[in-house]
Amino acid sequence: MEDFQVSDHDLSDLALSEYLQAEAIAVDTETMGLLPQRDRLCLVQLCNPEGKVTALKIAKGQTDAPNLKRLLEAKNVVKVFHFARFDLATLRYSLGIQVQPVFCTKIASKLARTYTQRHGLKDLVQELEQVELDKSAQSSDWGNAANLTAKQLSYAANDVRYLLNLRQTLIEMLVREERLEIAKECFECLPTIVSLDLLQFKDVFEH
Ligand code: MN
């Protein structure tokens, strides 16, 4: 793979300074499952506008990653996720990181692409980038950090590789449909939604 690096525990100082120069970076995580309190964080993937991808392995029992925290909390670098709600919860629960500012391509898609119900990453990449994503490693054992397969790593890298382009296309659609402001408001309230999720409230807004 072109510009792809695997790291352990934390970003190097060099990688941190490189990623900090970006206006926006793509971020994704792989975990043992869907419950942050039960299922540990295994991998954090990053991609900058130049296409530099890092897959950062998080060790079992690891509770912080100072350089990753500096990057993900840096106010001048937008962090682009697909379904940020989940990644923000696991990053906060596992590593104490309060990610901001955030752009979520799933929320943007729901607000802009009202002509479809298909808002999965695979659907978005297919329609907006004309690329067929192979998601067959999605539900695999990410806990065996020492022995991640080439297939798993290539899957993990592809999950961040298209997010920055998707963001640009979705911003154009949101502007056209006059929904960029409501999208930004949704992104800004994500930390609150994540707090409620981690406290296991289902829907405090419901009647
Ligand atoms: Mn992923």
Side-chain angles (χ1 to χ4, degrees):
M1 248 171 279
E2 331 82 50
D3 198 355
F4 179 69
Q5 210 173 326
V6 181
S7 304
D8 281 289
H9 298 280
D10 201 0
L11 288 176
S12 67
D13 291 346
L14 183 67
L16 171 64
S17 66
E18 229 178 309
Y19 281 113
L20 277 173
Q21 286 165 26
E23 180 263 329
I25 58 167
V27 189
D28 185 36
T29 63
E30 305 302 334
T31 65
M32 290 301 288
L34 297 178
L35 301 175
Q37 287 98 334
R38 184 192 68 184
D39 305 320
R40 67 189 170 91
L41 173 62
C42 300
L43 201 68
V44 179
Q45 307 98 281
L46 306 169
C47 182
N48 71 4
E50 286 74 44
K52 178 192 168 71
V53 175
T54 299
L56 177 61
K57 292 179 184 178
I58 306 300
K60 194 164 181 293
Q62 183 176 342
T63 55
D64 67 353
N67 280 351
L68 180 68
K69 183 179 169 78
R70 271 193 60 196
L71 176 63
L72 297 186
E73 295 184 353
K75 290 189 170 64
N76 54 346
V77 184
V78 178
K79 268 63 72 170
V80 183
F81 296 85
H82 186 75
F83 196 51
R85 183 176 179 174
F86 175 76
D87 301 285
L88 261 51
T90 189
L91 285 163
R92 193 195 296 176
Y93 185 79
S94 316
L95 300 174
I97 297 174
Q98 311 275 349
V99 182
Q100 59 135 352
V102 170
F103 186 102
C104 176
T105 53
K106 186 160 202 169
I107 293 173
S109 176
K110 286 185 173 181
L111 291 170
R113 297 170 65 254
T114 45
Y115 52 84
T116 177
Q117 308 259 51
R118 305 182 72 91
H119 301 289
L121 181 62
K122 189 180 167 70
D123 303 307
L124 273 181
V125 171
Q126 192 162 46
E127 181 183 308
L128 303 179
E129 294 291 309
Q130 291 82 46
V131 172
E132 190 77 38
L133 270 193
D134 178 4
K135 296 294 277 184
S136 58
Q138 182 164 35
S139 304
S140 66
D141 180 9
W142 295 99
N144 189 5
N147 300 301
L148 292 179
T149 64
K151 183 176 178 172
Q152 281 179 305
L153 289 171
S154 117
Y155 161 79
N158 277 335
D159 264 4
V160 283
R161 206 158 258 148
Y162 303 99
L163 289 180
L164 295 178
N165 282 351
L166 290 181
R167 170 178 176 245
Q168 286 315 323
T169 307
L170 287 164
I171 286 176
E172 286 167 24
M173 294 174 82
L174 287 166
V175 168
R176 190 189 71 202
E177 301 305 321
E178 298 177 50
R179 293 199 187 125
L180 186 59
E181 276 314 306
I182 189 73
K184 286 181 180 168
E185 287 172 27
C186 292
F187 304 152
E188 277 162 23
C189 78
L190 270 167
T192 308
I193 308 268
V194 169
S195 297
L196 290 165
D197 285 346
L198 288 172
L199 289 167
Q200 302 185 29
F201 283 102
K202 293 293 174 223
D203 187 357
V204 293
F205 300 104
E206 209 174 33
H207 174 59

